[in-house]
Amino acid sequence: AMTRANDVLVGEWTIEALPRVLDVIAHTRLGRDVDELVRQRLVAGVRAGCASGALPMDVIALICQTCCAMVTRRRGRGHRGDKGGEVSDDADDESDEDEDGNADAGTRDGTRAWIDVLEMVSETTAKTRASAGRATRRAGRLNATFASSLIDAYMNKPSTGAICTALVLLTSIVGAGDESTSSRVVQAVIHVANAATEADISNFIDASEDEDVRCLVSVLVSSKDPLTVASINLLRVITSFRREVYTSVVGGLLQQMPSRTNAIEALEQIMQREQLTTEEKSKISEHIQNAVRCIPELSHTMGKVASSRVLRILAPLATMNAVNELIEKDEISSVVSGLGLVKEMLKCGLNVSQGMQALHRVLISADEHTPVQQTVFEIIASSLQDGVSIDASVLEKAESKAIERSTESLNMIRSLLTDGQWSYGLDESICCSVASALNLICALSTEQASTPNARVIREGVETICVLRETLKKTMEQQNGAFEVEVDNDSVADDAENCPSVLLPLAPLRLMVETVLDAILSHSEQFKHILDDIQLGLAGSCSWESWIITLLLDTHLKLSQLQPKQDCVSVLSVSGCSSLLVLAVEFGDTEWSLEQRFHVMTLCGEVLKTHFSSEDERCTLLLDSCASQCLDTLHEHWFAFNNGKLRSDVLSVKGTMMSLQTLQSVCWVAISRSTKASLEKSPALESIQSLISNALNDKVLERGVKSVVAFAKPHLKRNSVINAGRASTKSPISSMVALLISSLHHQVQQTYSLDEPLESWDSVISECLVLLDILLPMTAFELNENELVENAVLMLENVVIQFRELPAQVICEITRSVLKFHEQRSSLPDCLKTASRMLKIAMRYTLDTLPSFPQQLITLMIAVNDIVLRLTKQGNGVDLYSMRDAFVSLTSVLVKISSILMRDVYEKQSVCDGVANFLTLVNSAMYQSIEAASELCLAQNTAANIDGQRIDAALVLAGARLHHSTAKMIELFPLTELQKLELQRCEFMTVCAGVFTNLRALQLTLAHDAPLDCSLVAIANALALDDITKYSENLRRLGESVQTVTGSRATAGSVPNSNASSRENSSSKPRKRVRNPYLDAVIAQEGGRQDEYDDMADFIVCKPGRNYRDVLGLT
């Protein structure tokens, strides 16, 4: 039988005989050589047969099924190394181990090899890829272990095939296998899909059945992870290729709007291309209805800007029945939300007559000062400005109410301001009410103002003049200065210098915004209305310049009273554009720096609130605002030009405000861009265009050259210049390099002085926020990963090099570096980086308890989030890779513990910082217990020696952590440390088992197979309680079992081992000559014992003296 099978496999294969060959392959045990030969012949035959068209699809399907069967057969089995080229019957009682006893390695290699065959066969044509997908789906349903085998292979070794092929194979087994396997498959699908290009998705859709496409969409939409730019673009591309999944995507995202990060951005980009049909709306009507009901809650939790975006999304989907359901509720928030939907519907030209009826009903029943009436006024004013026709009866009723409301409110406000009674007589609802009424009257007066309307507008401007005089007089009494005249270059006082008595006046900024926007948009018409109001007008100053400066200055003062209030700006895009043009034209001669900075801030707010990719005015404002911000950075930020240090307050403030506005501009360009370009992400295209238009290539080159020269100091000058020129094709990466190099130059200049200049530290925080917005987008620029990684390395060097930086700055830089690695690195590597950065931040920022900066607590929470993701079941991370990362974290926690306990001598309460530290300690102790539990059962084989070394390192690090946290039990309430104390007790119990097992192995295997040096080290450490040195140098100790050529020593052959030079050496560990002083020095400074051996004979120690106390280590 073996001879016949061997003849079939080695002989000639014909298409007619191929089913017989495949049957032999599936039911015969293959040796290594034959297995490899069979795989090569299958791939070559499929490629040749498909190229000639001679290979039928049913044979290809049979080949794919055979590959799946071999994947399943390889699970739990390995190749026999002594079989050579022979084949054998498929007997279950045969040993599956190779000659080294390493069954797992053979199993993984064999499984991966047959998956490679399946991938190569499937990549021949679109039809073969589809056939492979059907075969994997069939195998997943027939055999419960197939899905587990496939996902194990993908997790243990990355696929070498195309991304579309991996998507086809993985989506076909979603839902197969047990719950853990299914979860791992879903995570793998998300990971592969996020790396897919449009071509990959196109190939996937061509090769997949409708069930697989729906499955992929379901996985992406139902995930709880935040939606990244990659996943948003992926959903957009899928819906553009397959209209039938459009409703599933929109419905799922509507359901997740309240809870999933970036779901709103995803809906904006996906729904921009085309709207749902009536039939499609009916399919997801329940999701639409639920989303409409959630609007009031979203407005409360996410803010007014986010809720306005939700309203724009839902307006084309919602029905008037859903709107009326909100309007008829008793809650004001529900009525306002319903009216907001009416406003967006009117903009889209939907349900106009029903919307007018709803406005009329609400207008009649609404109270005067409630937000409901204000919202009605805003809707009518906005509709008039957008050219929407309003029903005459509604317009007449609204105008009469607005005139009545504004006249009464303006008279009352002027009276309160004149009498100085605003502190208790001016209510916020009155301010908002008069602003909305005045907005409607201004909208009605853009063409021809009636006499009552003109009178109200004049009264509004007069009230603003009284308000400005009140602000001026009050602040002069309190601070001694206020005025900002048209030609004054001084800077107004900051918000913290404003008297608290003026705070009730802050809501009046809406009224000022309303008049300012009306004059900016229709200056000629309003000049005719206000020609008799020229109080304090200078002779050389035009009327427009005077009135706009007065309004802008008043608005600036009111904004400084409450700069962080959640107030949606009523300025229009056209008004903001005019204001920005005036800021450039007036310059320093007529407007102060503070006023020009305020214009940029207003532009950022308006873009966030009112940006629409369909409105060309928004795009022009976006580009103009970005150019103005970067021009201001050139002017005021010395580091942006690699210039000399400037310490004036104006430069710091100008740089901060420019960076803040640039943050808004970049955020809008990324999250709100919906240009329908399928070639690449619209967000990527938008931000690239923005940066390229605002900055010239030479400026970007300068930043790139600085980063390249820092990362590769050995490069010649011409190579650095060429690198700078080449990188300008990737503007986002170049912008990141420019910002980081500027930041590095600033810190060099400000902290190289005898007394550091900390006034520029606030610029670091704003720059880091901007970097957090730009860095995720760099992943989509081709061939620029190295540049960005070098730039982040330069940023990290800022923390390492300049230890004088304040705690807040160190933690913020560390957090930004960590966020970058979270997006780019695997979870184990990310935890290693997080451990290293946490160690740096702790070393520089924490002196004594409870001085935990809030930024440091935030950093510890971020590290804990990584730990939770890494230890989450079904994440697909290799066990020993995870434990290797925990070795790094545990060692850092030991250092942190020594810092925490350094100056604490009395009972302490558990502050937030200590609580977060304890969370990390508990996770590290748990992993140490798990590693120790496996070492209790360890055998002296070469099969898993690498894993045992990692376990040994983790146990030793855990022992050090156990020792370093002992003092915490005495200094903190025991009720807060119950979990830690239980784990410490369990850890010592398990360590006793580790010591017993390793000592037994040393005694029983000493002659034939000496125990690995890393395991000898842990046994010695546990016996001598000498855990400090071994854990830090365990890698070096483990390498002592490597041969000179670098190959791993097998059992029974340990080259260069001193264990073979003497009898029973492993059972009697060598006693080192100990010097207490040198031991203390090593504990403090680090290093290896042999580095200090030559000093041991010359340093005489006093018997019984504790030199750790002498060096201050206790």
PDB file of all heavy atoms in Angstrom, residues 1041-1064:
ATOM      1  N   VAL A1041      23.577  29.052  27.017  1.00  0.00           N
ATOM      2  CA  VAL A1041      23.322  27.733  26.445  1.00  0.00           C
ATOM      3  C   VAL A1041      23.303  27.795  24.921  1.00  0.00           C
ATOM      4  O   VAL A1041      22.848  26.878  24.270  1.00  0.00           O
ATOM      5  CB  VAL A1041      21.980  27.153  26.954  1.00  0.00           C
ATOM      6  CG1 VAL A1041      22.039  26.927  28.433  1.00  0.00           C
ATOM      7  CG2 VAL A1041      20.830  28.059  26.575  1.00  0.00           C
ATOM      8  N   GLN A1042      23.770  28.895  24.344  1.00  0.00           N
ATOM      9  CA  GLN A1042      23.902  28.991  22.893  1.00  0.00           C
ATOM     10  C   GLN A1042      25.289  28.524  22.478  1.00  0.00           C
ATOM     11  O   GLN A1042      26.279  28.769  23.168  1.00  0.00           O
ATOM     12  CB  GLN A1042      23.700  30.441  22.431  1.00  0.00           C
ATOM     13  CG  GLN A1042      22.398  31.058  22.877  1.00  0.00           C
ATOM     14  CD  GLN A1042      21.226  30.490  22.100  1.00  0.00           C
ATOM     15  OE1 GLN A1042      21.350  30.212  20.922  1.00  0.00           O
ATOM     16  NE2 GLN A1042      20.119  30.289  22.763  1.00  0.00           N
ATOM     17  N   THR A1043      25.366  27.869  21.368  1.00  0.00           N
ATOM     18  CA  THR A1043      26.683  27.460  20.849  1.00  0.00           C
ATOM     19  C   THR A1043      27.396  28.655  20.266  1.00  0.00           C
ATOM     20  O   THR A1043      26.843  29.736  20.111  1.00  0.00           O
ATOM     21  CB  THR A1043      26.499  26.392  19.759  1.00  0.00           C
ATOM     22  OG1 THR A1043      25.782  26.991  18.685  1.00  0.00           O
ATOM     23  CG2 THR A1043      25.763  25.195  20.281  1.00  0.00           C
ATOM     24  N   VAL A1044      28.653  28.473  19.909  1.00  0.00           N
ATOM     25  CA  VAL A1044      29.429  29.570  19.363  1.00  0.00           C
ATOM     26  C   VAL A1044      28.825  30.057  18.048  1.00  0.00           C
ATOM     27  O   VAL A1044      28.850  31.232  17.723  1.00  0.00           O
ATOM     28  CB  VAL A1044      30.892  29.120  19.152  1.00  0.00           C
ATOM     29  CG1 VAL A1044      31.703  30.221  18.478  1.00  0.00           C
ATOM     30  CG2 VAL A1044      31.523  28.743  20.486  1.00  0.00           C
ATOM     31  N   THR A1045      28.239  29.151  17.258  1.00  0.00           N
ATOM     32  CA  THR A1045      27.655  29.537  15.974  1.00  0.00           C
ATOM     33  C   THR A1045      26.279  30.136  16.126  1.00  0.00           C
ATOM     34  O   THR A1045      25.705  30.594  15.155  1.00  0.00           O
ATOM     35  CB  THR A1045      27.537  28.296  15.067  1.00  0.00           C
ATOM     36  OG1 THR A1045      26.694  27.337  15.706  1.00  0.00           O
ATOM     37  CG2 THR A1045      28.898  27.697  14.816  1.00  0.00           C
ATOM     38  N   GLY A1046      25.716  30.122  17.320  1.00  0.00           N
ATOM     39  CA  GLY A1046      24.413  30.730  17.534  1.00  0.00           C
ATOM     40  C   GLY A1046      23.279  29.741  17.549  1.00  0.00           C
ATOM     41  O   GLY A1046      22.147  30.093  17.813  1.00  0.00           O
ATOM     42  N   SER A1047      23.509  28.443  17.284  1.00  0.00           N
ATOM     43  CA  SER A1047      22.434  27.453  17.314  1.00  0.00           C
ATOM     44  C   SER A1047      22.154  27.039  18.738  1.00  0.00           C
ATOM     45  O   SER A1047      23.016  27.077  19.595  1.00  0.00           O
ATOM     46  CB  SER A1047      22.825  26.222  16.481  1.00  0.00           C
ATOM     47  OG  SER A1047      24.006  25.654  17.001  1.00  0.00           O
ATOM     48  N   ARG A1048      20.902  26.629  18.974  1.00  0.00           N
ATOM     49  CA  ARG A1048      20.504  26.295  20.326  1.00  0.00           C
ATOM     50  C   ARG A1048      21.043  24.931  20.712  1.00  0.00           C
ATOM     51  O   ARG A1048      20.968  23.962  19.963  1.00  0.00           O
ATOM     52  CB  ARG A1048      18.969  26.306  20.432  1.00  0.00           C
ATOM     53  CG  ARG A1048      18.484  26.195  21.860  1.00  0.00           C
ATOM     54  CD  ARG A1048      16.975  26.318  21.908  1.00  0.00           C
ATOM     55  NE  ARG A1048      16.361  25.194  21.223  1.00  0.00           N
ATOM     56  CZ  ARG A1048      15.104  25.196  20.815  1.00  0.00           C
ATOM     57  NH1 ARG A1048      14.371  26.258  20.985  1.00  0.00           N
ATOM     58  NH2 ARG A1048      14.587  24.129  20.237  1.00  0.00           N
ATOM     59  N   ALA A1049      21.564  24.855  21.913  1.00  0.00           N
ATOM     60  CA  ALA A1049      22.067  23.583  22.405  1.00  0.00           C
ATOM     61  C   ALA A1049      20.914  22.663  22.748  1.00  0.00           C
ATOM     62  O   ALA A1049      19.926  23.074  23.304  1.00  0.00           O
ATOM     63  CB  ALA A1049      22.930  23.816  23.643  1.00  0.00           C
ATOM     64  N   THR A1050      21.045  21.400  22.396  1.00  0.00           N
ATOM     65  CA  THR A1050      20.000  20.438  22.697  1.00  0.00           C
ATOM     66  C   THR A1050      20.317  19.727  23.999  1.00  0.00           C
ATOM     67  O   THR A1050      21.400  19.840  24.559  1.00  0.00           O
ATOM     68  CB  THR A1050      19.899  19.396  21.566  1.00  0.00           C
ATOM     69  OG1 THR A1050      21.164  18.768  21.426  1.00  0.00           O
ATOM     70  CG2 THR A1050      19.527  20.084  20.260  1.00  0.00           C
ATOM     71  N   ALA A1051      19.315  18.980  24.484  1.00  0.00           N
ATOM     72  CA  ALA A1051      19.511  18.230  25.721  1.00  0.00           C
ATOM     73  C   ALA A1051      20.661  17.260  25.542  1.00  0.00           C
ATOM     74  O   ALA A1051      20.777  16.555  24.552  1.00  0.00           O
ATOM     75  CB  ALA A1051      18.234  17.478  26.081  1.00  0.00           C
ATOM     76  N   GLY A1052      21.529  17.200  26.543  1.00  0.00           N
ATOM     77  CA  GLY A1052      22.660  16.303  26.489  1.00  0.00           C
ATOM     78  C   GLY A1052      23.881  16.918  25.869  1.00  0.00           C
ATOM     79  O   GLY A1052      24.935  16.307  25.850  1.00  0.00           O
ATOM     80  N   SER A1053      23.788  18.127  25.328  1.00  0.00           N
ATOM     81  CA  SER A1053      24.936  18.786  24.711  1.00  0.00           C
ATOM     82  C   SER A1053      24.888  20.253  25.052  1.00  0.00           C
ATOM     83  O   SER A1053      24.167  21.012  24.435  1.00  0.00           O
ATOM     84  CB  SER A1053      24.890  18.602  23.185  1.00  0.00           C
ATOM     85  OG  SER A1053      25.941  19.332  22.592  1.00  0.00           O
ATOM     86  N   VAL A1054      25.658  20.658  26.042  1.00  0.00           N
ATOM     87  CA  VAL A1054      25.694  22.052  26.459  1.00  0.00           C
ATOM     88  C   VAL A1054      27.106  22.561  26.287  1.00  0.00           C
ATOM     89  O   VAL A1054      27.944  22.402  27.160  1.00  0.00           O
ATOM     90  CB  VAL A1054      25.223  22.219  27.920  1.00  0.00           C
ATOM     91  CG1 VAL A1054      25.169  23.675  28.295  1.00  0.00           C
ATOM     92  CG2 VAL A1054      23.880  21.540  28.117  1.00  0.00           C
ATOM     93  N   PRO A1055      27.453  23.125  25.125  1.00  0.00           N
ATOM     94  CA  PRO A1055      28.810  23.609  24.894  1.00  0.00           C
ATOM     95  C   PRO A1055      29.160  24.717  25.865  1.00  0.00           C
ATOM     96  O   PRO A1055      28.328  25.503  26.258  1.00  0.00           O
ATOM     97  CB  PRO A1055      28.745  24.140  23.451  1.00  0.00           C
ATOM     98  CG  PRO A1055      27.497  23.606  22.875  1.00  0.00           C
ATOM     99  CD  PRO A1055      26.583  23.349  23.978  1.00  0.00           C
ATOM    100  N   ASN A1056      30.470  24.781  26.179  1.00  0.00           N
ATOM    101  CA  ASN A1056      31.006  25.853  27.007  1.00  0.00           C
ATOM    102  C   ASN A1056      30.365  25.918  28.377  1.00  0.00           C
ATOM    103  O   ASN A1056      30.410  26.933  29.029  1.00  0.00           O
ATOM    104  CB  ASN A1056      30.843  27.210  26.309  1.00  0.00           C
ATOM    105  CG  ASN A1056      31.530  27.224  24.971  1.00  0.00           C
ATOM    106  OD1 ASN A1056      32.533  26.552  24.797  1.00  0.00           O
ATOM    107  ND2 ASN A1056      30.978  27.967  24.039  1.00  0.00           N
ATOM    108  N   SER A1057      29.695  24.873  28.795  1.00  0.00           N
ATOM    109  CA  SER A1057      29.044  24.898  30.101  1.00  0.00           C
ATOM    110  C   SER A1057      30.004  24.394  31.154  1.00  0.00           C
ATOM    111  O   SER A1057      30.602  23.342  31.018  1.00  0.00           O
ATOM    112  CB  SER A1057      27.778  24.022  30.074  1.00  0.00           C
ATOM    113  OG  SER A1057      27.244  23.938  31.354  1.00  0.00           O
ATOM    114  N   ASN A1058      30.156  25.136  32.228  1.00  0.00           N
ATOM    115  CA  ASN A1058      31.034  24.692  33.295  1.00  0.00           C
ATOM    116  C   ASN A1058      30.422  23.537  34.081  1.00  0.00           C
ATOM    117  O   ASN A1058      31.066  22.952  34.921  1.00  0.00           O
ATOM    118  CB  ASN A1058      31.377  25.850  34.232  1.00  0.00           C
ATOM    119  CG  ASN A1058      30.130  26.492  34.814  1.00  0.00           C
ATOM    120  OD1 ASN A1058      29.051  25.941  34.673  1.00  0.00           O
ATOM    121  ND2 ASN A1058      30.286  27.656  35.441  1.00  0.00           N
ATOM    122  N   ALA A1059      29.138  23.236  33.776  1.00  0.00           N
ATOM    123  CA  ALA A1059      28.499  22.117  34.463  1.00  0.00           C
ATOM    124  C   ALA A1059      29.144  20.807  34.061  1.00  0.00           C
ATOM    125  O   ALA A1059      29.188  19.850  34.832  1.00  0.00           O
ATOM    126  CB  ALA A1059      27.016  22.079  34.134  1.00  0.00           C
ATOM    127  N   SER A1060      29.690  20.698  32.842  1.00  0.00           N
ATOM    128  CA  SER A1060      30.277  19.447  32.383  1.00  0.00           C
ATOM    129  C   SER A1060      31.691  19.247  32.918  1.00  0.00           C
ATOM    130  O   SER A1060      32.262  18.191  32.733  1.00  0.00           O
ATOM    131  CB  SER A1060      30.299  19.427  30.857  1.00  0.00           C
ATOM    132  OG  SER A1060      31.065  20.516  30.390  1.00  0.00           O
ATOM    133  N   SER A1061      32.246  20.278  33.537  1.00  0.00           N
ATOM    134  CA  SER A1061      33.626  20.176  34.003  1.00  0.00           C
ATOM    135  C   SER A1061      33.751  19.596  35.395  1.00  0.00           C
ATOM    136  O   SER A1061      34.842  19.359  35.863  1.00  0.00           O
ATOM    137  CB  SER A1061      34.275  21.557  33.965  1.00  0.00           C
ATOM    138  OG  SER A1061      33.611  22.425  34.859  1.00  0.00           O
ATOM    139  N   ARG A1062      32.630  19.433  36.056  1.00  0.00           N
ATOM    140  CA  ARG A1062      32.716  18.860  37.383  1.00  0.00           C
ATOM    141  C   ARG A1062      31.471  18.036  37.643  1.00  0.00           C
ATOM    142  O   ARG A1062      30.410  18.290  37.082  1.00  0.00           O
ATOM    143  CB  ARG A1062      32.888  19.948  38.439  1.00  0.00           C
ATOM    144  CG  ARG A1062      31.698  20.893  38.521  1.00  0.00           C
ATOM    145  CD  ARG A1062      32.015  22.021  39.526  1.00  0.00           C
ATOM    146  NE  ARG A1062      30.861  22.872  39.706  1.00  0.00           N
ATOM    147  CZ  ARG A1062      30.580  23.907  38.948  1.00  0.00           C
ATOM    148  NH1 ARG A1062      31.357  24.190  37.922  1.00  0.00           N
ATOM    149  NH2 ARG A1062      29.527  24.638  39.193  1.00  0.00           N
ATOM    150  N   GLU A1063      31.564  17.098  38.499  1.00  0.00           N
ATOM    151  CA  GLU A1063      30.484  16.143  38.739  1.00  0.00           C
ATOM    152  C   GLU A1063      29.376  16.808  39.550  1.00  0.00           C
ATOM    153  O   GLU A1063      29.624  17.494  40.540  1.00  0.00           O
ATOM    154  CB  GLU A1063      31.032  14.930  39.499  1.00  0.00           C
ATOM    155  CG  GLU A1063      29.982  13.846  39.719  1.00  0.00           C
ATOM    156  CD  GLU A1063      30.599  12.646  40.392  1.00  0.00           C
ATOM    157  OE1 GLU A1063      31.815  12.643  40.578  1.00  0.00           O
ATOM    158  OE2 GLU A1063      29.841  11.726  40.707  1.00  0.00           O
ATOM    159  N   ASN A1064      28.160  16.545  39.111  1.00  0.00           N
ATOM    160  CA  ASN A1064      26.965  16.975  39.842  1.00  0.00           C
ATOM    161  C   ASN A1064      26.988  18.472  40.132  1.00  0.00           C
ATOM    162  O   ASN A1064      26.591  18.927  41.189  1.00  0.00           O
ATOM    163  CB  ASN A1064      26.855  16.201  41.169  1.00  0.00           C
ATOM    164  CG  ASN A1064      25.423  16.193  41.686  1.00  0.00           C
ATOM    165  OD1 ASN A1064      24.492  16.404  40.917  1.00  0.00           O
ATOM    166  ND2 ASN A1064      25.253  15.949  42.973  1.00  0.00           N
TER     167      ASN A1064
END
